[in-house]
Amino acid sequence: MSGHTPRETWWKTRSVYQIYPRSFRDANGDGVGDLAGITAGLRAVKALGAGIVWLSPIFRSPMVDNGYDMSGYREIDPLFGTMADFEALLAEAKRLDLKVVLDIALNHTSIDHPWFQAALADPGGPYRDYYIWRDKPNNWQSIFGGPAWSKPEGDSAYYLHLFDKTQADLNWENPAVRNEIYGAMRFWLDKGVSGFRLDVVTVISKPPGLPDAPDPRPMPLYHMLAGGPRLHEWLRDMRREVFDRYDCVAIGEGPGLNPERAAAIVNPADPMLHMIYHFDFVDHTGSRQGEDWDRVWFKSVFDRWDKGIGPDGWNSCVVGNHDLRRFIARFGDPKAETKLVAKALAASYILQRATPFIYQGDELGLGDTIITKVEELDDVWAKTTYRLAKSKGNSEAESLAKAVAMTRDHARTPYPWTPEGGFGAGKPWLKPTPNRGGVDLATQQGDEHSAWAFCHGLLELRTKDPETWVFGAYEDLLPEHESLFVYRRGTHGLVCVNLSSEPWPLPEPIVALLAERSCIFTSGDITTTQMGPWSTQVWA
Ligand code: GLC
């Protein structure tokens, strides 16, 4: 990555498909997805048209946070298989010309990690300083709820954990920690992976002295910590020690960053990382669900990030992932036809001037799941939310409702391969999302009008005409319109989406633009002057 980033690189022209390994495909019938299942499923990813596969964590872990609590950076967790299984996965990816990107949690490790265990066993030894200790905690609250400090039994000090109490923050001030992480990344790059998604990388540099936060609640704290004093220095260091040595991509998870701060990190003249993905679409409160969400705001996020990152910079476009309720449940309309909504939303993000990230199932229009009892929750964050709600005197029903409204389990259910499920022979670890009719891969692959087929078509456009659909300048033509999303790409690309269940006439200047172009795709009820409910048209 040294010096200027070339305009045309594979991580710009290819699209990303995110796999949640526990839930993609279970080859050995134990109810949990695994590497052999992923290997078998890569053909489907290729058929969709993605060119990069991002695997959520597969390293050794006690799985309190489903792998984001790592206890071995150079090992495959036995739940997912062996190193040989991983090598087979890489070989199949190579055969299909898919790049593989791994997820690494480098802000924290599990307390089961041998480093943390050594820190506990020998407080005077070298591993103590791998973590962040204080005799008296400050006022920081953990992202998942409760204090961000815990004292191990029999220990004299508290350790910092911005997330669950089993996820101890690493002390990045310690050069030994940095070298361990760089070494682990090189280990996987040497094996043939093509890069990393760097989990919560924006918070690795803590403010000196760890002062109390003016507002210690999780989200304001995140904002306070994002982009800490030594972040740029360490990212440059990481680039020199790792990324510059390989043809790889480094994607930073960017909670708390605004476009200006992100632009500094992906600045093409001095890139620390290749892409950042932002949190503007992240909404754990549930307030933007159902039909009543703010379309003008939704559109403004794309525009703000496109302008903020600048004409020479590069964005990623992440609208759904394993940390959110389903995309379609946050930005759809439960009363409208799922297929139409899925297509309209796909056209809203896949053709942005950015590398699109498709989260497994979003290409099918997979919706939220149904959770009726606390035992059906798996997400550590949701379980903490439930427990805290109960401890504050909420009823069972109220506490469950709070957890169901935010739980990340909605996005983590087994991938629907067939109408019956087809995830694997065993009982799945998480109850599947009910199939509400046609929301499965087999059905949609056999239907040229499906959401999957539409998504495939959009990805193909990026491959066939990158000048327009990858690199073409972005312009929102109706930023103030309450429902229509109409944007231009390059000189001739034009996308019109109706993000509502009401029909809308196309304004005259847009009709004039269509007259000069040819239609590539449509979905729903459209004419050249009228957009029916959740309809889409793509022109060039
Ligand atoms: C990131 C991951 C999330 C995890 C958290 C802590 O936000 O995406 O799943 O819980 O970091 O590692």
Side-chain angles (χ1 to χ4, degrees):
M1 193 181 354
S2 45
H4 286 263
T5 308
R7 179 169 179 268
E8 294 250 359
T9 58
W10 56 265
W11 45 266
K12 291 182 183 176
T13 52
R14 291 174 181 235
S15 310
V16 178
Y17 189 84
Q18 183 192 349
I19 287 181
Y20 197 65
R22 292 178 84 84
S23 300
F24 192 56
R25 195 163 165 150
D26 171 20
N28 66 1
D30 68 353
V32 183
D34 45 40
L35 296 180
I38 295 173
T39 305
L42 285 180
R43 272 196 314 266
V45 175
K46 180 72 181 177
L48 179 66
I52 303 171
V53 185
W54 151 23
L55 303 182
S56 276
I58 55 170
F59 301 161
R60 185 178 284 279
S61 162
M63 300 288 167
V64 174
D65 193 18
N66 291 352
Y68 287 95
D69 46 328
M70 300 179 169
S71 55
Y73 284 106
R74 297 176 188 221
E75 292 160 86
I76 299 289
D77 193 274
L79 190 64
F80 297 130
T82 61
M83 194 61 91
D85 292 329
F86 182 66
E87 283 158 4
L89 186 158
L90 278 183
E92 172 70 351
K94 194 165 179 198
R95 193 182 68 80
L96 294 168
D97 186 28
L98 290 169
K99 307 262 186 190
V100 175
V101 166
L102 296 184
D103 211 319
I104 185 164
L106 37 64
N107 175 68
H108 45 262
T109 70
S110 164
I111 55 172
D112 284 6
H113 196 290
W115 302 338
F116 193 83
Q117 291 302 314
L120 287 185
D122 180 9
Y127 287 103
R128 189 73 169 183
D129 196 37
Y130 271 41
Y131 296 90
I132 301 171
W133 301 88
R134 276 185 55 149
D135 293 337
K136 261 183 65 197
N138 64 16
N139 70 351
W140 297 0
Q141 293 293 299
S142 114
I143 310 295
F144 291 167
W149 297 89
S150 291
K151 187 148 77 150
E153 235 182 76
D155 209 291
S156 61
Y158 293 79
Y159 64 93
L160 176 67
H161 54 86
L162 290 182
F163 293 88
D164 188 58
K165 63 175 185 304
T166 64
Q167 291 164 300
D169 279 53
L170 283 166
N171 176 18
W172 270 73
E173 301 286 342
N174 181 347
V177 167
R178 304 200 291 272
N179 286 332
E180 297 267 17
I181 299 291
Y182 303 157
M185 291 203 265
R186 287 194 297 262
F187 171 82
W188 294 104
L189 288 162
D190 286 337
K191 275 207 173 293
V193 311
S194 296
F196 290 94
R197 179 259 190 192
L198 309 171
D199 189 66
V200 293
V201 68
T202 45
V203 298
I204 59 176
S205 168
K206 315 296 192 274
L210 310 180
D212 273 349
D215 185 342
R217 288 172 308 156
M219 287 308 157
L221 176 67
Y222 237 35
H223 282 265
M224 181 187 114
L225 295 179
R230 298 188 68 188
L231 179 68
H232 287 189
E233 176 195 335
W234 294 336
L235 292 181
R236 286 202 178 93
D237 203 33
M238 201 184 291
R239 165 183 134 191
R240 218 176 23 250
E241 296 296 323
V242 186
F243 309 135
D244 272 354
R245 305 184 185 187
Y246 301 83
D247 176 21
C248 68
V249 66
I251 306 158
E253 190 192 22
L257 287 189
N258 61 24
E260 292 66 37
R261 290 161 91 187
I265 293 174
V266 300
N267 169 11
D270 175 23
M272 297 166 218
L273 302 177
H274 301 95
M275 289 185 252
I276 283 282
Y277 76 83
H278 65 75
F279 268 48
D280 286 13
F281 289 128
V282 175
D283 179 36
H284 283 292
T285 65
S287 63
R288 285 201 190 90
Q289 277 151 33
E291 57 198 283
D292 190 23
W293 49 277
D294 183 349
R295 275 74 171 165
V296 173
W297 162 82
F298 181 73
K299 295 186 291 178
S300 74
V301 172
F302 293 111
D303 190 60
R304 200 160 75 88
W305 277 86
D306 186 75
K307 290 200 172 90
I309 226 79
D312 301 324
W314 197 248
N315 264 316
S316 62
C317 189
V318 176
V319 291
N321 66 23
H322 63 289
D323 288 332
L324 302 166
R325 292 187 72 152
R326 281 285 171 181
F327 181 42
I328 197 167
R330 284 176 294 129
F331 302 118
D333 178 347
K335 294 196 293 297
E337 194 189 330
T338 303
K339 183 161 77 174
L340 281 183
V341 179
K343 292 180 184 182
L345 292 176
S348 303
Y349 80 93
I350 290 179
L351 297 178
Q352 292 287 323
R353 189 176 69 92
T355 300
F357 284 53
I358 295 144
Y359 179 62
Q360 67 178 47
D362 282 350
E363 77 281 15
L364 305 173
L366 188 60
D368 274 355
T369 190
I370 294 174
I371 295 164
T372 52
K373 31 183 198 295
V374 66
E375 296 74 36
E376 289 172 1
L377 292 171
D378 172 80
D379 175 12
V380 58
W381 193 347
K383 288 193 282 202
T384 308
T385 301
Y386 168 85
R387 220 181 33 249
L388 290 176
K390 285 223 63 183
S391 72
K392 286 182 189 143
N394 288 278
S395 71
E396 172 67 27
E398 285 162 347
S399 308
L400 182 62
K402 280 192 173 50
V404 170
M406 55 66 73
T407 184
R408 301 178 295 177
D409 293 319
H410 289 291
R412 299 178 175 184
T413 57
Y415 187 78
W417 291 87
T418 63
E420 300 73 37
F423 167 67
K427 182 172 180 284
W429 69 282
L430 196 61
K431 196 177 80 177
T433 306
N435 192 332
R436 295 161 173 119
V439 185
D440 63 85
L441 183 70
T443 304
Q444 295 203 13
Q445 280 190 324
D447 171 7
E448 59 178 322
H449 301 297
S450 66
W452 183 90
F454 194 77
C455 198
H456 168 74
L458 298 176
L459 294 176
E460 213 174 47
L461 274 189
R462 296 186 81 248
T463 312
K464 281 190 184 150
D465 182 3
E467 215 36 60
T468 303
W469 300 111
V470 178
F471 299 110
Y474 174 81
E475 188 188 358
D476 184 345
L477 299 179
L478 299 176
E480 302 302 330
H481 198 289
E482 67 185 84
S483 298
L484 293 183
F485 190 7
V486 178
Y487 63 88
R488 198 202 314 241
R489 292 299 315 279
T491 51
H492 51 279
L494 193 68
V495 179
C496 308
V497 180
N498 182 355
L499 293 170
S500 78
S501 296
E502 310 298 319
W504 282 96
L506 276 171
E508 182 44 43
I510 306 297
V511 174
L513 289 176
L514 296 187
E516 299 160 4
R517 292 167 167 77
S518 316
C519 186
I520 308 177
F521 294 122
T522 69
S523 148
D525 202 6
I526 59 129
T527 68
T528 47
T529 57
Q530 184 85 16
M531 301 281 299
W534 291 98
S535 61
T536 305
Q537 32 187 338
V538 179
W539 294 64

